[in-house]
Structure formats: structure tokens, C-alpha cells
Amino acid sequence: MKKILVTGSNGQIGFELVQHLRKTYGSDNVVATARKKAAGPVSEGGPFAFLDVRDGKMAGELLDSWRIDTVVHLAGILSARGEADPQLAWDTNMNGLCTMLEAARPRKCAFFFPSSIAAFGPGAPPENTPQDTIQRPSTIYGVTKVAGELLCDYYHLKYGLDTRGLRFPGLVSCAAPPGGGTTDYAVHIYYEAAAHGRYTSYIGKGSFMDMLYMPDALDAVVRLIEADPSRLRHRCAFNISAMSFDPEGIAESIRKVIPEFELSYEVDPVRQAIADSWPDSLDCSAAREEWGFAPRYDLDAMTRDMLQRVASR
Ligand code: SER
């Protein structure tokens, strides 16, 4: 049985992944960590510890005292927040990653790292973006993600650490809010549709981005963690996505449930520029072939589920 430590446990992914991992591996085998304690299932449903991911001494002590063999390192600053404070994004994302890798290295912990569609920039082919292609991102977040992918690959090559990772697209979920991202509009739109029947999008018409519904993202993390290493040709950064849509596309899907839903636009130039620099749709064949990526939700299935959940909250 694995003993897992998760960083960034209060975030959009961490909040649900901690609970999913506890169901999969047993509550006592998943230690949630974060800089702040949030009331609720993350801190109350199993072990919880405070951790600033730049604090190597504390990280090492936690890995030892809980006999951790797998680190899921989620703590990080997202794209739009990163543009507001690039130095903070570098410090948290890069120094945090280096610190956690260095803590994992002598203890031979397996290591999961979340990369992002942000690891691609304007030079990459935007349609069916290949697994292996040019990566010259134009955001600090993207820079830290490419560097993170390379660093995790390096730790595998140099030290034999079992590093693995996914390039997450925009994640849609309703348990914990996303914060500071560019794809967050695809979450907000469901709340506003359910509450007010309308939404004003900060992302413009025609801006396509890859997306994935959270249950499929949680499943993907466990599948990759459990994958047979002999099948992994790409370790640290698998393209994954289940759908690609622009604001018009998600609005159309919402109208199948709420026919009177209205969409308007007030484009935010910062987040629009970020969206413009990212792929429109990813090629996910490596993830399917090497570890069986198999998302279950398409746009309409996700919309039905999200609207039902949001309405019942
Ligand atoms: N959801 C992230 C963001 O928008 C992309 O990885 O920043």
C-alpha cells in the first residue's frame, strides 16, 4: 500500500485529489499538506500537516515521520496570478519544486508533478498539439512548467527517481474553486448560469482551450501513478484533454439545459493574451497508449453534471 504526501491540498485539484486518494489507498495513507489549514474533509478526513513547499527541512521531516513513498506535488501559482507577480510564481513554482524533489531524492519517493497546457507557447502547432514539439511559453507560469517538466525528467535520468507528470488542461469542477487561472471562466460560467442565467466572459469568442472534467483528472492521476513503468516513454508530461471549446461552445452546451442562458463578453486583455498563447487542442495519443488515459466526460455530459451539482449546493 502506498503512503502518499500531497502538497497544495486546499487547491482546486488538491481538495478533491486528497479525498480520492484516501478512498483509493485508505485515509491514513494520504497526508494532506498546505500552508493554511482549511476546515473540512482535507484536514479532517485524514492526516494533515502544515507545509511551505520551500521548507526542505520540514518536508524531509514529514516524509520520514509518515514513511512516505510517493509525493504528489500540487502547490503552485497559476497563470493569471503569475503574470501579476512573476517573482512569486518563480519562487513558489520553481523553488518549491526543487525543494520537494530534493526531499524526495534521498528517500527514493515516487514523485508526481502537474504540468499544464501552459507549457506550450505561441510557436507550438495550435491544433492537435503534439506530445513532443517546440515549447517556448510566453508566461512565467508556462516557463516554470517547462522547467519543471525538464527538471523532473532530469531527476529520473540522473538519480533514477520515479518522476511522472501530466500536462493538465483547464479543469472544471465544483468542490473547490480554481484561483488565478485563465481557464477558470469555464467553472465560473456554470455558477452564473445556475444562479442568474447569464455570464460575462473575460475570454473572447473563438478562443479554444483544452478542458477536462475533474473526475477524469483524478482518474488520470491514479492511472499514471499506477502505470507499469516499462510502458512509459514519456514520464513527466503527458498531454491530456477530453474536449476543446470556446465560450460559445460551452454556452451552447449550457443552453441544452438552460435554454434562456445569455453569454456576453468583457474581454480581459491579460487573460486573453495568455489564452491566445496556448494550444487549441492537444494530441493525447501518448497518454492513451502508454497508460490507458480514458476520459468519460465530454462537454455535454460535464455540463449536465456540473449544472446539477451547482444547483444542489
Ligand atoms: N488552469 C490553468 C490556468 O488557467 C492552466 O494550467 O492557469
Side-chain angles (χ1 to χ4, degrees):
M1 187 54 85
K2 292 188 189 307
K3 279 276 194 182
I4 305 175
L5 180 135
V6 181
T7 71
S9 299
N10 293 330
Q12 186 197 10
I13 305 175
F15 185 85
E16 290 196 55
L17 186 59
V18 162
Q19 297 174 71
H20 185 70
L21 293 173
R22 283 179 177 155
K23 269 193 213 122
T24 309
Y25 298 106
S27 299
D28 294 342
N29 295 323
V30 180
V31 181
T33 71
R35 278 193 325 139
K36 292 184 191 136
K37 191 163 186 160
V42 165
S43 59
E44 290 156 17
F48 176 87
F50 290 105
L51 177 62
D52 181 323
V53 292
R54 294 160 300 183
D55 183 346
K57 187 164 171 286
M58 177 61 89
E61 283 169 14
L62 287 175
L63 296 184
D64 286 339
S65 61
W66 291 97
R67 299 174 176 277
I68 297 296
D69 55 40
T70 304
V71 174
V72 175
H73 176 53
L74 301 178
I77 303 282
L78 291 188
S79 57
R81 174 121 191 267
E83 290 313 295
D85 193 342
Q87 288 71 28
L88 175 73
W90 178 267
D91 186 31
T92 306
N93 295 7
M94 284 323 298
N95 293 334
L97 175 61
C98 291
T99 303
M100 293 308 298
L101 280 170
E102 272 302 281
R105 178 165 69 90
R107 297 168 177 90
K108 301 184 169 40
C109 296
F111 197 96
F112 175 85
F113 169 70
S115 187
S116 162
I117 48 172
F120 297 109
E127 307 280 340
N128 211 23
T129 308
Q131 173 68 40
D132 300 307
T133 187
I134 186 166
Q135 289 181 264
R136 304 286 293 175
S138 50
T139 62
I140 188 68
Y141 176 66
V143 170
T144 66
K145 290 301 179 187
V146 179
E149 290 180 3
L150 293 172
L151 193 62
C152 288
D153 275 342
Y154 181 76
Y155 268 67
H156 176 65
L157 204 69
K158 175 91 176 170
Y159 304 117
L161 210 66
D162 185 0
T163 50
R164 303 180 185 198
L166 299 170
R167 288 185 188 127
F168 283 123
L171 295 180
V172 176
S173 70
C174 64
T182 300
T183 56
D184 300 7
Y185 93 89
V187 175
H188 302 155
I189 195 169
Y190 287 116
Y191 280 89
E192 293 301 309
H196 305 113
R198 71 175 79 93
Y199 178 69
T200 304
S201 176
Y202 60 77
I203 293 295
K205 197 174 184 161
S207 291
F208 283 78
M209 287 185 277
D210 287 281
M211 302 278 173
L212 185 66
Y213 196 31
M214 188 61 86
D216 286 328
L218 303 179
D219 179 65
V221 173
V222 172
R223 278 183 200 234
L224 179 60
I225 287 178
E226 292 289 346
D228 173 356
S230 69
R231 287 182 61 198
L232 300 182
R233 282 196 310 113
H234 301 87
R235 290 202 140 253
C236 293
F238 285 93
N239 286 359
I240 58 167
S241 167
M243 58 196 100
S244 163
F245 54 77
D246 79 331
E248 295 293 318
I250 189 170
E252 203 177 298
S253 177
I254 290 172
R255 280 191 204 108
K256 291 178 187 166
V257 183
I258 307 173
E260 63 283 7
F261 176 70
E262 283 172 28
L263 177 65
S264 55
Y265 293 92
E266 237 170 72
V267 172
D268 166 21
V270 173
R271 286 177 288 188
Q272 184 62 48
I274 296 174
D276 288 343
S277 76
W278 289 354
D280 295 349
S281 64
L282 297 181
D283 170 10
C284 305
S285 50
R288 283 197 296 273
E289 283 156 22
E290 294 178 40
W291 50 270
F293 174 57
R296 290 174 300 130
Y297 287 88
D298 64 10
L299 173 55
D300 286 341
M302 176 175 85
T303 295
R304 284 192 296 273
D305 198 61
M306 268 300 279
L307 287 174
Q308 210 170 21
R309 282 174 192 274
V310 166
S312 66
R313 282 163 77 90

